Amino acid sequence: MSHTPHELAADFPEHAEKIQALKLSDAHFAKLSEAYHEVNRQVHRAETDVEPTGDAEIEAMRRERMRLKDELFAFLSK
């Protein structure tokens, strides 16, 4: 189990500039990005026991993070 935050720019360094540009130019991408970062922070806090969370809830948050990440990657791949 990794306790490393999954920041978009770190996970997709080849798209770092495009991520910043889309956050400013595309409201839907910006909204998805913010949702991703929010759930990512929740997962990280749960994994590091800053906010103790049940296993089922952590797994649900991880699935949501992956769903959002996949959707964001689709934007970046265009």
Side-chain angles (χ1 to χ4, degrees), residues 26-36:
D26 188 305
H28 184 63
F29 183 89
K31 183 178 176 182
L32 288 173
S33 178
E34 183 54 38
Y36 173 83

Side-chain angles (χ1 to χ4, degrees), residues 29-63:
F29 183 89
K31 183 178 176 182
L32 288 173
S33 178
E34 183 54 38
Y36 173 83
H37 286 292
E38 180 58 34
V39 74
N40 187 45
R41 284 187 290 266
Q42 290 173 355
V43 169
H44 183 67
R45 292 175 66 81
E47 288 178 342
T48 57
D49 288 327
V50 171
E51 292 181 12
T53 308
D55 291 342
E57 189 175 349
I58 291 173
E59 285 305 313
M61 289 187 296
R62 287 180 182 149
R63 282 191 299 278

